[in-house]
Amino acid sequence: MREENQRETDGSTVRGTLEALASGEIGVTEAESRIAGYATTTAGRFDTAREDRRGIPEAVLAEGKRPAEAAALATTALETTGRALVTRASPDHAAAVREAVGDAAPDADVDHDEVTRTVVVHAAGFEPPELSATVAVVTAGTADAPVAGEAEVVAREIGASVDRVEDVGVANLDRLLDQIERIREADIVVVAAGREGALPTVVAGLVAAPVIAVPVSTGYGEGGEGAAALAGALQSCTALTTVNVDAGFVAGAQAGLIARTIDGAGVGDEGGVDDEAGGTGGG
């Protein structure tokens, strides 16, 4: 996040914010976000300090909100942090965000992905973080793409490089084995799978990197809507981490946080820790 957007607690910086507000350099929303760590909108309070506090950019969950509410929060995010991330957005949500951003910041870049139901907005000149870590986002089938794509978007916004490996479900293990060396090159692996959810367990038994399982609500009958996939991941005989059904945001955020840790520890592209960090090579 931009330094000037970080929460200011000592008297001198608070005074500077008030002086900037009085002179018209910044608006009330920006001033509130600098001092309080959040900004108040007609749709609620936007957590402007989350990235500083947690390493994860605050997201606007559009689901359950009216398009105008999602748009108000998105423009506030853009004003105070330089970007906005909207998840579970319908076409109406996306249209409202695009219109509001067009009025507030015509030079901003707006990217709406209908499959992942995400809207990502970057202000002109915004420089997203870059981490020296790669996340492989793996899907069992095409139906898992929306949830996996949400994880990909979040991990990218945190700064990780993402390699998407699609349609390698266990119905034909040859598809997975053809891509396994590519998956092994990643520092973190996110695996999205529905039905019985076997793929995360299989992948976790073949790679050294941390694996995050995302059960997906595909399937029908007994164990449908993600129940079997969730139970299978929780009962896996391999070491993996499991998030809730369809929780692509959480999986992407966890992968991004691990990527931040790897980047901070000096882990290079070869999977080993830099000598300057005092660590030994990893395998």
Side-chain angles (χ1 to χ4, degrees):
M1 183 186 296
R2 297 172 299 169
E3 182 178 351
E4 64 267 25
N5 286 327
Q6 295 175 359
R7 184 174 182 179
E8 301 171 344
T9 55
D10 65 85
S12 62
T13 52
V14 169
R15 183 179 181 85
T17 295
L18 295 175
E19 290 174 346
L21 176 63
S23 68
E25 294 178 24
I26 62 174
V28 172
T29 299
E30 175 73 4
E32 181 185 29
S33 74
R34 292 188 187 186
I35 295 171
Y38 61 82
T40 304
T41 77
T42 56
R45 292 187 177 94
F46 180 80
D47 185 355
T48 61
R50 174 170 289 197
E51 187 165 9
D52 289 328
R53 189 178 68 252
R54 288 286 289 120
I56 304 167
E58 174 71 308
V60 177
L61 174 63
E63 195 170 67
K65 294 182 178 69
R66 293 176 295 178
E69 292 172 331
L73 288 164
T75 53
T76 299
L78 186 65
E79 178 184 352
T80 57
T81 69
R83 67 170 157 190
L85 171 59
V86 184
T87 62
R88 307 296 170 95
S90 69
D92 287 343
H93 287 119
V97 170
R98 190 179 294 278
E99 180 178 359
V101 168
D103 292 338
D107 294 334
D109 178 65
V110 182
D111 180 19
H112 171 220
D113 189 315
E114 293 184 1
V115 174
T116 64
R117 295 189 293 163
T118 57
V119 183
V120 177
V121 185
H122 288 172
F126 176 81
E127 296 183 4
E130 295 184 6
L131 301 175
S132 296
T134 300
V135 177
V137 176
V138 182
T139 63
T142 304
D144 306 313
V147 174
E150 185 178 79
E152 176 181 0
V153 169
V154 175
R156 284 191 190 279
E157 284 301 300
I158 295 174
S161 299
V162 177
D163 182 21
R164 186 74 170 268
V165 182
E166 298 182 294
D167 200 16
V168 292
V170 298
N172 181 355
L173 281 176
D174 288 338
R175 296 182 300 183
L176 173 62
L177 297 177
D178 284 345
Q179 301 296 321
I180 195 62
E181 292 304 323
R182 175 180 167 191
I183 298 171
R184 283 173 174 159
E185 292 177 357
D187 299 293
I188 312 105
V189 183
V190 174
V191 185
R195 305 289 295 193
E196 83 285 14
L199 184 62
T201 288
V202 175
V203 171
L206 295 172
V207 303
V211 174
I212 301 171
V214 190
V216 179
S217 58
T218 56
Y220 45 82
E222 181 68 24
E225 298 185 354
L230 175 61
L234 291 174
Q235 292 282 17
S236 175
C237 62
T238 58
L240 54 78
T241 298
T242 305
V243 300
N244 209 342
V245 176
D246 292 341
F249 177 90
V250 178
Q254 288 293 85
L257 289 174
I258 297 171
R260 281 170 56 92
T261 301
I262 291 170
D263 180 79
V267 176
D269 293 337
E270 298 302 319
V273 179
D274 292 343
D275 290 340
E276 294 180 359
T280 58

